[in-house]
Amino acid sequence: MKGVINMHIIVLIKQVPDSREYVRIREDGTLDRERVRAVINDCDKNALEAALQLKEKFGSKITVVSMGPPKAEDALKEALAMGADEAILISDRRLRGSDTLATSYVLYKAIERLGHYDLIICGIESSDGGTAQVGPELAEFLGIPQATFVDEFKVIGGYVEAKRLVEGGYEKLRIKMPVLLTIMKNANNPRVTTFSGILKAVKKQVVTWTIDDVGAEEKKVGLAGSPTKIMKVEKLSFQRKRLMIEGETADEVVDNLLKRLVEDGVIRGGY
Amino acid sequence: MTGYSGVWVYAEHRNGVISKNTLEILGKGRELADKLCVELSAVLFGCNVSSSANVLTIYGADKVYVTDDEKLRNYKTRTYARLMTELILKHKPEIVLFTASTTGRDLAPRVAARLRTGLTANCIDLDIGDFEDKETGRRYEKILYQIVPAFGGNVVATIVTPFNRPQMATVRPGVFPPPEKIFRKGEIVLFKPEAIDVDEEVEVLEVNRSQEESSLENAKIVVGGGLGVGGPEGFKLLKELADSLGGCVGVTRPVTDAGWMPYDSMIGESGRTIRPDLYIACGISGALHHMIGVRGSRKIVAINNDPKAPIFEAADYIVIGDLFQIVPKLTEKVKKYVGAL
């Protein structure tokens, strides 16, 4: 192992509503994140696990960064308990309603403030937004290369060798660090937080930064700084014909169904 | 924002063969361009791809911008993003669309961030309309409606990018029907930048794209199974029905979560989108996640023993009953009397 020892790895995590619970949508179309149980976004845990494995191998420092409401501190505390060294929460009322471009701009400013880093790892996408855009947009702001949809990677002397998913197969890339990776859920199995991990994490603090702390311009963040706007939110209609197929026996039901389907021209046959 | 005109589609291909999903978006792009009374253009990057450009005009493009260069043999995010950005800045399209494939989702955000414009992910529909800014009362005419499923209920959101150009979106594969050939008399424009700014920090070691496209997306008939199928054994019954109809089996997310069927057979928001002639849903409750993936089906049959199953709202034909009786009976009769179209 030459070239890279004592890496600084930045892991981006997002606190998301537990997908098993109902989420209220506000009048302006944004999600009300205050009232539901919140968890670390699923594949962000895989991103952290990947970083922890590198730390065990090379002795790295891991900084977890999140942007969100004050209660996102819980997600960062969990990340500290899993083994991260430092945690930064970018939290500011003026950030509410930020789209992916505004979000990646703020993260870019925060990472600039953190100084040197070798690797940025995040999950491929969040379970609530699901855009998969913040990673690549952030990499563009930082001017570093990226590999998205990665399910395997290793660090070899200043380079990352990553296998990424593409339509119909995969590709393997060799990328000079620093690089941003987005990690798939099947990349690894995130460790479970242990009691001793929680005890160690008690001593660690989550540092909170405002947009002023990171030097982000107010006009480039939040609803006003987001090029995309939610115009309206409406119910998706799946309504169809809803014709009940009846019959005394299963035989009759099946006959009646097949007759209909032949009439509709979706199957052909002697009915 | 004046001076921005035209609808663009970034064309994906595999060794010069234009992807099916690109053609789907091209079909929709044609419709949007006609509503706006502007040109539809496709953008094609690669090595030895010039001969494929006419495929894009056959399916509706007025113009195809082609950069054909050895340096573009392998897709590299930053090389392609720099080139795409340069082309956009030169010709100023008002709308740029990408497939929400792993390539489109890798490239589009990079381009959007370079241009400091908005990008909407995974659209299930697109349209043209007006937008009134409630704060200023100003009206913006003929802008792109980007329709996406929104988390946490049966809702879709319409997203707009009123103040920035171009308006950019990625589109979910399979949401639009394959277009007709319209044999448009298009123009092929070779774009030769002074120098292609190749990303030297990335080396492509290996590309393996040998897997066939999923047969699920191309199947005329799909038999779907949910938790009601009960386990891997139950899926044998569904497979027999699908085979008798020359179709395929697809499943819901809980089924793949349970490990009963492989991940790539999942239909729904985070899985595949299908638009068969006939979809037969067996033991499926009808969660939004799944329904988003099947809404393009011509006819939907739902078989479920729970009369209150939400899937019945979204079905053309409702069969309330035990799928373990109905499905084998259906297979038996299909084998005797019926064939797929």
Side-chain angles (χ1 to χ4, degrees):
Chain A
M1 188 52 234
K2 51 182 179 180
V4 184
I5 11 167
N6 288 321
M7 290 192 293
H8 182 203
I9 305 172
I10 296 171
V11 177
L12 302 179
I13 67 170
K14 184 181 183 187
Q15 192 183 49
V16 296
D18 192 333
S19 60
R20 285 157 299 188
E21 287 183 44
Y22 177 75
V23 176
R24 201 175 72 89
I25 294 162
R26 290 199 193 92
E27 288 287 299
D28 63 2
T30 57
L31 295 179
D32 184 353
R33 294 177 198 278
E34 301 297 327
R35 293 192 201 175
V36 285
R37 208 172 83 89
V39 294
I40 297 181
N41 180 49
D42 234 7
C43 50
D44 297 354
K45 282 193 172 178
N46 300 88
L48 180 55
E49 176 61 34
L52 291 167
Q53 288 179 14
L54 288 173
K55 180 182 170 179
E56 283 158 5
K57 214 169 162 188
F58 303 122
S60 319
K61 180 178 118 177
I62 300 173
T63 306
V64 272
V65 179
S66 187
M67 174 176 138
K71 77 165 181 176
E73 194 179 330
D74 297 344
L76 288 164
K77 285 211 170 121
E78 190 181 339
L80 289 172
M82 280 173 75
D85 301 291
E86 289 179 11
I88 312 282
L89 172 63
I90 311 154
S91 192
D92 194 314
R93 293 179 65 88
R94 292 168 287 181
L95 290 171
R96 201 171 83 79
S98 294
D99 71 358
T100 60
L101 191 76
T103 302
S104 41
Y105 164 71
V106 174
L107 291 170
Y108 149 66
K109 296 303 278 185
I111 288 169
E112 267 202 328
R113 186 178 162 181
L114 283 173
H116 174 82
Y117 61 90
D118 302 281
L119 196 55
I120 301 175
I121 314 180
C122 38
I124 50 164
E125 64 186 3
S126 63
S127 61
D128 55 351
T131 69
Q133 287 173 189
V134 170
E137 290 188 336
L138 170 62
E140 180 60 40
F141 274 111
L142 290 165
I144 60 170
Q146 72 189 38
T148 54
F149 300 94
V150 170
D151 67 356
E152 258 179 66
F153 77 95
K154 54 190 174 198
V155 173
I156 305 170
Y159 289 82
V160 164
E161 279 188 21
K163 176 169 158 271
R164 69 178 292 263
L165 183 84
V166 294
E167 269 62 38
Y170 62 86
E171 60 184 23
K172 284 185 177 165
L173 307 173
R174 185 164 184 270
I175 310 171
K176 194 165 184 287
M177 296 205 289
V179 54
L180 182 144
L181 306 175
T182 77
I183 300 289
M184 309 250 300
K185 215 182 133 33
N186 62 356
N188 53 40
N189 293 309
R191 65 197 59 194
V192 179
T193 313
T194 59
F195 185 64
S196 73
I198 294 168
L199 284 182
K200 276 184 206 160
V202 170
K203 292 182 207 130
K204 300 176 194 166
Q205 287 293 317
V206 174
V207 178
T208 303
W209 285 349
T210 64
I211 59 168
D212 306 315
D213 293 328
V214 302
E217 292 173 58
E218 191 174 344
K219 65 177 198 305
K220 291 187 180 172
V221 305
L223 276 176
S226 297
T228 59
K229 315 280 172 201
I230 298 167
M231 189 174 97
K232 62 180 175 188
V233 174
E234 57 198 340
K235 260 190 107 106
L236 186 56
S237 175
F238 291 107
Q239 286 267 333
R240 284 182 182 247
K241 195 150 77 174
R242 301 175 59 204
L243 191 78
M244 182 83 75
I245 304 293
E246 285 167 340
E248 291 292 314
T249 61
D251 253 308
E252 260 183 59
V253 170
V254 168
D255 282 340
N256 290 335
L257 175 63
L258 287 172
K259 265 181 211 156
R260 293 279 182 181
L261 295 177
V262 171
E263 277 168 21
D264 289 338
V266 293
I267 57 174
R268 69 182 155 75
Y271 276 80
Chain B
M1 254 155 29
T2 47
Y4 283 87
S5 168
V7 178
W8 280 19
V9 172
Y10 174 80
E12 276 184 40
H13 62 90
R14 212 190 282 193
N15 301 320
V17 180
I18 307 294
S19 86
K20 194 179 87 182
N21 305 135
T22 296
L23 300 180
E24 294 163 7
I25 301 175
L26 209 56
K28 191 67 184 185
R30 183 71 260 164
E31 195 187 306
L32 300 176
D34 290 343
K35 278 186 186 173
L36 290 163
C37 303
V38 297
E39 274 186 350
L40 172 68
S41 305
V43 178
L44 181 62
F45 295 158
C47 180
N48 300 325
V49 291
S50 299
S51 56
S52 307
N54 71 319
V55 175
L56 296 160
T57 64
I58 287 171
Y59 284 98
D62 297 302
K63 207 177 258 175
V64 185
Y65 294 102
V66 183
T67 306
D68 195 333
D69 196 293
E70 172 58 36
K71 288 178 183 147
L72 300 176
R73 182 176 292 280
N74 286 320
Y75 168 79
K76 280 191 191 180
T77 311
R78 289 198 295 180
T79 310
Y80 274 55
R82 288 165 186 161
L83 194 60
M84 188 69 183
T85 308
E86 194 180 332
L87 197 60
I88 289 171
L89 289 172
K90 190 174 172 193
H91 296 284
K92 296 187 165 40
E94 60 198 289
I95 294 171
V96 182
L97 306 174
F98 294 79
T99 309
S101 63
T102 52
T103 307
R105 298 177 81 189
D106 187 70
L107 178 63
R110 215 64 217 211
V111 175
R114 278 183 97 76
L115 295 165
R116 304 288 193 268
T117 190
L119 174 65
T120 303
N122 307 324
C123 295
I124 57 168
D125 203 359
L126 299 167
D127 203 354
I128 301 294
D130 298 345
F131 169 68
E132 197 185 303
D133 186 2
K134 283 183 190 124
E135 273 174 40
T136 60
R138 275 183 68 183
R139 221 178 150 71
Y140 296 82
E141 287 181 354
K142 289 189 169 185
I143 61 167
L144 181 67
Y145 287 176
Q146 306 157 100
I147 295 142
V148 292
F151 181 86
N154 288 350
V155 293
V156 287
T158 302
I159 312 287
V160 291
T161 308
F163 317 126
N164 301 64
R165 292 293 177 273
Q167 306 159 84
M168 291 178 54
T170 63
V171 181
R172 270 192 70 97
V175 294
F176 300 128
E180 309 269 321
K181 289 183 181 178
I182 56 173
F183 298 99
R184 198 126 180 135
K185 211 175 156 194
E187 184 191 349
I188 313 285
V189 182
L190 291 180
F191 173 57
K192 283 193 177 172
E194 278 179 30
I196 292 176
D197 190 0
V198 176
D199 187 349
E200 304 290 357
E201 289 172 5
V202 177
E203 187 189 343
V204 179
L205 302 174
E206 185 190 345
V207 181
N208 183 324
R209 302 187 67 177
S210 53
Q211 289 166 28
E212 294 289 313
E213 266 186 89
S214 159
S215 47
L216 198 56
E217 272 126 3
N218 298 319
K220 293 263 182 229
I221 295 177
V222 175
V223 180
L227 282 183
V229 176
E233 281 298 304
F235 277 96
K236 285 185 186 159
L237 296 178
L238 268 55
K239 180 81 172 67
E240 281 166 24
L241 176 58
D243 286 345
S244 72
L245 288 160
C248 286
V249 174
V251 304
T252 62
R253 185 167 60 182
V255 169
T256 56
D257 284 351
W260 297 349
M261 291 286 279
Y263 186 77
D264 67 358
S265 61
M266 189 217 296
I267 301 169
E269 196 181 347
S270 60
R272 300 182 182 280
T273 304
I274 58 167
R275 21 185 344 112
D277 287 339
L278 174 61
Y279 181 59
I280 305 175
C282 309
I284 291 175
S285 64
L288 176 74
H289 177 277
H290 183 69
M291 299 316 292
I292 282 174
V294 301
R295 62 199 276 268
S297 308
R298 240 178 90 197
K299 291 287 172 214
I300 296 180
V301 175
I303 305 169
N304 203 306
N305 58 11
D306 175 8
K308 291 196 184 114
I311 189 144
F312 290 145
E313 294 288 320
D316 295 290
Y317 299 118
I318 297 170
V319 179
I320 300 172
D322 180 3
L323 72 92
F324 297 97
Q325 276 183 21
I326 305 280
V327 171
K329 189 65 79 184
L330 205 48
T331 309
E332 181 195 317
K333 300 226 176 207
V334 164
K335 277 185 182 162
K336 269 190 198 158
Y337 307 112
V338 185
L341 273 180

